[in-house]
Amino acid sequence: MQVISLSLFWTIVIDIAVWFFFHMAISVLCLKLPAAVFKNNAFWSRIYRWEKSGEIWQQLFRVKAWKGRLIDGATLFKRGYQKKSLHGTGREDLEMFAMETKRAELTHWLSIVPAPLFFLWNPPLVGWLMIVYAVAFNLPLIITQRYNRGRIRRMLS
């Protein structure tokens, strides 16, 4: 339900600014979370049997064909862990990479959450477009993290 009515110009400016704020704030928040938060096997980060160690994502979405084109958000932050390639093949390296895929996945799940707020100052159609944007932007990144983590878990077992 649109509560605030703005001109088209200001609506676009605010939409861009608010998305930028949420993307950055959620990214910084997740970067500050200690690694221990991601050591668990929470329901949202667990790789399930039906995912076939991540291979389901390759079968459904051909992840290998496009995952290399995605931007790694870690390049924006000094503390970020780049996930474009493995940092090593030792057990500790693989466990660290898997943990960082959980951090990235949580970041992208949380980045979808603010989308309904855009209904407050946008017409309903645009509000729905913001939800579509949030899902369309974040889902490929979530799928990539699950695909990579499934493969790493298979390597570790």
Side-chain angles (χ1 to χ4, degrees), residues 39-143:
K39 296 281 184 193
N40 65 10
N41 205 14
F43 75 94
W44 61 267
S45 66
R46 184 177 304 133
I47 300 298
Y48 293 93
R49 183 174 290 147
W50 61 264
E51 291 180 87
K52 302 175 189 171
S53 298
E55 285 306 312
I56 191 72
W57 305 115
Q58 172 60 21
Q59 292 168 0
L60 293 174
F61 300 107
R62 301 206 163 288
V63 177
K64 287 187 217 178
W66 50 263
K67 74 177 189 133
R69 294 187 199 117
L70 296 175
I71 296 170
D72 189 345
T75 58
L76 300 174
F77 303 98
K78 290 179 184 174
R79 286 188 51 205
Y81 182 94
Q82 296 204 8
K83 294 167 293 304
K84 281 284 188 188
S85 61
L86 290 174
H87 294 235
T89 55
R91 183 167 199 80
E92 192 174 302
D93 296 317
L94 295 174
E95 287 175 352
M96 174 65 89
F97 193 96
M99 187 273 301
E100 290 295 339
T101 66
K102 289 180 181 183
R103 183 186 309 275
E105 184 178 346
L106 178 62
T107 300
H108 291 290
W109 279 119
L110 292 176
S111 293
I112 295 171
V113 172
L117 293 175
F118 287 79
F119 282 98
L120 292 175
W121 62 89
N122 283 286
L125 177 62
V126 177
W128 284 109
L129 288 173
M130 293 299 164
I131 289 176
V132 169
Y133 159 76
V135 172
F137 178 81
N138 289 289
L139 202 55
L141 296 154
I142 291 167
I143 289 169

